[in-house]
Amino acid sequence: MPKVDRRIAKSQEAIKKALIELMSEKNFDAITVQDISDHANVSRGTIYLHYVDKFDLLDKLIEEHINEMGEICEATSAAEYKDANLPWFEYIESRFLFFSTMLKSKGAPSFRSQFHEFLIEEFKAEVDTSQGKNHELKGDVLLQFIVTSYVGMVEWWITNGMPYPPQVMAEQVGILLERNL
């Protein structure tokens, strides 16, 4: 993998951070590239050097987080649910501004749907309705229930100012997953 110039990486981080901070203050549609440029302390040309427009910037930012969550899933795939959940909740906690902004922002409904679709792919293999406690359920109904509940738990946790540490959330959600999958 080619090494990225530190100046480029620093500029891109400043641009992404500026977008998230601005989105936490106002609707995405009201944000201009000039707003992002001013907030990031970079020129508009620097933004256009890396992104086609603000929509491309948002898409790439969301894609980056979805990919990182995928790496977490891959790294914890053999773990029990409560152990596999811990890196997730730690990741979300460490990126609170991103997740709180994306999950409540009217300007980024695509994040919630992409997060939902991502979780569907991750939980699909976990759903077994052929036997046991879920044998009378339809697989797609159970999958939607689990994923919608998971997204809802993350939203609740963030919206309420993370009232429990990641360890408690991982354990609690892990127990719920064990009971339902």
Side-chain angles (χ1 to χ4, degrees):
M1 181 188 219
K3 196 170 187 175
V4 177
D5 184 309
R6 277 192 263 173
R7 292 170 296 175
I8 292 171
K10 188 175 179 181
S11 292
Q12 288 176 332
E13 281 306 309
I15 293 165
K16 291 184 275 190
K17 182 179 180 205
L19 177 63
I20 295 302
E21 288 173 354
L22 288 166
M23 286 180 70
S24 73
E25 298 167 6
K26 59 185 179 178
N27 192 302
F28 179 74
D29 292 335
I31 298 169
T32 65
V33 172
Q34 187 63 53
D35 292 335
I36 299 166
S37 169
D38 292 345
H39 201 82
N41 199 25
V42 298
S43 71
R44 285 172 48 99
T46 300
I47 294 173
Y48 288 121
L49 182 64
H50 302 292
Y51 308 100
V52 174
D53 53 24
K54 70 179 187 174
F55 300 98
D56 182 45
L57 168 57
L58 180 60
D59 288 344
K60 286 191 169 110
L61 182 60
I62 291 170
E63 181 183 330
E64 179 181 303
H65 284 282
I66 296 287
N67 289 340
E68 286 183 43
M69 290 185 294
E71 290 173 15
I72 291 169
C73 285
E74 196 173 309
T76 62
S77 63
E80 296 292 321
Y81 290 125
K82 66 180 181 178
D83 297 327
N85 280 326
L86 184 56
W88 266 82
F89 282 100
E90 290 173 337
Y91 180 81
I92 293 166
E93 179 187 50
S94 69
R95 287 146 182 91
F96 175 80
L97 185 60
F98 172 81
F99 283 96
S100 64
T101 301
M102 290 297 124
L103 289 171
K104 71 179 179 182
S105 175
K106 292 182 180 109
S110 64
F111 174 74
R112 192 179 196 287
S113 62
Q114 286 181 54
F115 186 37
H116 192 269
E117 287 302 314
F118 167 75
L119 289 172
I120 285 194
E121 290 304 313
E122 292 302 321
F123 279 111
K124 196 181 285 185
E126 303 291 323
V127 172
D128 180 10
T129 57
S130 65
Q131 58 189 354
K133 60 188 168 202
N134 296 324
H135 76 279
E136 294 179 353
L137 297 173
K138 302 288 184 200
D140 55 346
V141 172
L142 180 58
L143 183 60
Q144 285 299 319
F145 173 76
I146 296 297
V147 168
T148 302
S149 297
Y150 203 100
V151 172
M153 288 301 307
V154 169
E155 286 177 323
W156 171 85
W157 189 52
I158 288 171
T159 303
N160 287 285
M162 299 181 174
Y164 303 106
Q167 297 80 0
V168 172
M169 289 303 295
E171 183 178 325
Q172 295 288 298
V173 173
I175 290 167
L176 291 168
L177 288 171
E178 284 292 334
R179 289 181 182 171
N180 289 287
L181 284 175

